[in-house]
Amino acid sequence: TFEEKDDTIVIMAATGAANLRKDTSYSSSTVFKSLNNNEELHRTGVTDGWSRVEYEGGTYYISNNVIIELAVLEGFEATTKTVEITATTISVRFAPGRTSDDPIAYFKKGDKVEVIGFNANIGSAGWYMVKLTKTDDQPHEFGFISAHGDYSKIIETIVETPEE
């Protein structure tokens, strides 16, 4: 049974794409179409593990593991700051708060990371949106790390004014 929804979701799959399915089964025969990350879909319902969406005039299904609500992404305030990783390692996630998913990258202690967004409303400490270097093995331009103070610290950038 699906809980009715009327919102927009965004595809954010660790692999860079996700399958839109004819029903709530992972069978290859149920794949309707593969969609790329950052594509937006109109969601009409949600249940454990699945979202029901409208696409090109039809009703399809997509795993909740590969999507995020657009409202969550829009909740990130744009920022430009650098954090230094203080934990031994920190996992970079393809969606904020998804700590059970496999990481898309890792940072290690001492790494300097460019923060491009912050959302204080996710988890107890919020999450940073961080810039990533896109490669063949890592198709994402950005990812998410916990903003918890046990894992990183903000580096104050000192802007020197030129002498006159």
Side-chain angles (χ1 to χ4, degrees):
T1 305
F2 280 84
E3 173 191 338
E4 295 301 312
K5 287 281 191 177
D6 183 15
D7 63 359
T8 302
I9 57 174
V10 180
I11 295 176
M12 292 190 72
T15 59
N19 291 324
L20 200 56
R21 298 178 177 279
K22 298 173 193 170
D23 64 35
T24 57
S25 166
Y26 287 110
S27 166
S28 61
S29 65
T30 68
V31 175
F32 168 70
K33 187 174 187 177
S34 183
L35 301 175
N36 293 322
N37 276 355
N38 302 319
E39 288 195 50
E40 296 181 8
L41 297 166
H42 176 242
R43 180 168 60 177
T44 60
V46 67
T47 190
D48 287 339
W50 295 95
S51 283
R52 183 180 64 214
V53 299
E54 293 176 350
Y55 183 80
E56 294 182 348
T59 299
Y60 299 97
Y61 304 89
I62 190 163
S63 170
N64 290 336
N65 293 331
V66 294
I67 56 108
I68 189 168
E69 294 173 4
L70 180 60
V72 170
L73 288 180
E74 289 175 340
F76 277 82
E77 283 184 36
T79 185
T80 51
K81 62 176 114 183
T82 302
V83 297
E84 181 178 348
I85 303 303
T86 56
T88 304
T89 60
I90 190 168
S91 298
V92 181
R93 307 295 179 170
F94 65 89
R98 288 215 191 130
T99 57
S100 62
D101 295 337
D102 289 338
I104 58 171
Y106 296 93
F107 292 121
K108 62 185 185 314
K109 188 173 190 164
D111 285 347
K112 312 272 189 304
V113 180
E114 184 179 347
V115 175
I116 56 177
F118 175 67
N119 187 331
N121 298 319
I122 305 169
S124 62
W127 282 72
Y128 291 131
M129 180 186 293
V130 297
K131 192 171 183 178
L132 298 174
T133 302
K134 194 172 178 177
T135 65
D136 289 340
D137 293 333
Q138 195 286 107
H140 303 284
E141 295 177 6
F142 62 90
F144 300 88
I145 62 172
S146 171
H148 196 285
D150 288 349
Y151 307 128
S152 64
K153 66 179 179 182
I154 297 171
I155 299 172
E156 296 296 327
T157 305
I158 298 170
V159 179
E160 293 184 27
T161 53
E163 292 182 23
E164 293 183 27

